[in-house]
């Protein structure tokens, strides 16, 4: 039981280190896009409530913005690494709820 906790803890630390390193590398390599907006949704696959209002206001106030939606699973997997690459050059990030890459 103790070995399992140790292995899990080691895995989480290693994963966080890899994610942080990749974010820094992607941020350094990719120029920040002043019009890129990412809306990370965790609860559902539908844009509703406050996020819908924020989306509509972004379209109104920043019509030139490029809005990307990320439907997160909040799992430590390879899809998360793709999301890190997406986040690395965004100017704006709107979070729905707990979002693992930012945590």
């Amino acid at each position: 039981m103790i070995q399992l906790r140790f292995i899990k803890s080691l895995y989480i630390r290693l994963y966080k280190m890899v994610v942080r390193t990749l974010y820094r590398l992607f941020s350094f390599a990719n120029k920040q896009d002043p019009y890129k907006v990412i809306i990370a949704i965790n609860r559902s696959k539908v844009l509703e409530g406050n996020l819908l209002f924020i989306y509509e206001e972004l379209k109104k106030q920043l019509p030139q913005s490029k809005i990307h939606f990320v439907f997160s699973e909040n799992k430590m997997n390879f899809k998360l690494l793709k999301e890190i690459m997406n986040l690395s050059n965004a100017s704006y990030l709107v979070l729905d709820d707990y979002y693992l890459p930012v945590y």
Side-chain angles (χ1 to χ4, degrees):
M1 186 72 148
I2 293 174
Q3 289 177 344
L4 184 61
R5 279 190 211 161
F6 176 74
I7 291 171
K8 184 177 178 181
S9 172
L10 185 64
Y11 172 73
I12 290 171
R13 286 183 189 155
L14 182 63
Y15 192 85
K16 285 181 179 182
M17 187 174 68
V18 167
V19 167
R20 285 183 189 129
T21 303
L22 285 175
Y23 178 78
R24 288 183 183 128
L25 285 172
F26 290 139
S27 294
F28 183 72
N30 294 332
K31 184 179 177 186
Q32 186 176 14
D33 186 350
Y35 302 111
K36 185 174 181 180
V37 178
I38 293 182
I39 299 177
I41 302 171
N42 185 28
R43 293 185 210 172
S44 69
K45 300 282 185 195
V46 179
L47 197 60
E48 58 191 7
N50 291 338
L51 285 178
L52 181 60
F53 177 75
I54 290 170
Y55 171 75
E56 290 170 354
E57 281 299 310
L58 280 169
K59 292 302 276 183
K60 220 186 298 180
Q61 293 183 20
L62 297 171
Q64 71 278 18
S65 66
K66 298 173 245 168
I67 299 175
H68 301 272
F69 294 98
V70 176
F71 299 99
S72 178
E73 297 172 6
N74 280 332
K75 295 180 182 175
M76 292 190 289
N77 56 21
F78 287 110
K79 183 180 180 227
L80 183 63
L81 298 179
K82 182 181 172 193
E83 292 173 15
I84 296 293
M85 191 168 72
N86 233 349
L87 288 171
S88 67
N89 68 339
S91 290
Y92 303 98
L93 173 63
V94 180
L95 299 175
D96 174 28
D97 201 0
Y98 169 80
Y99 185 57
L100 189 61
V102 176
Y103 171 73

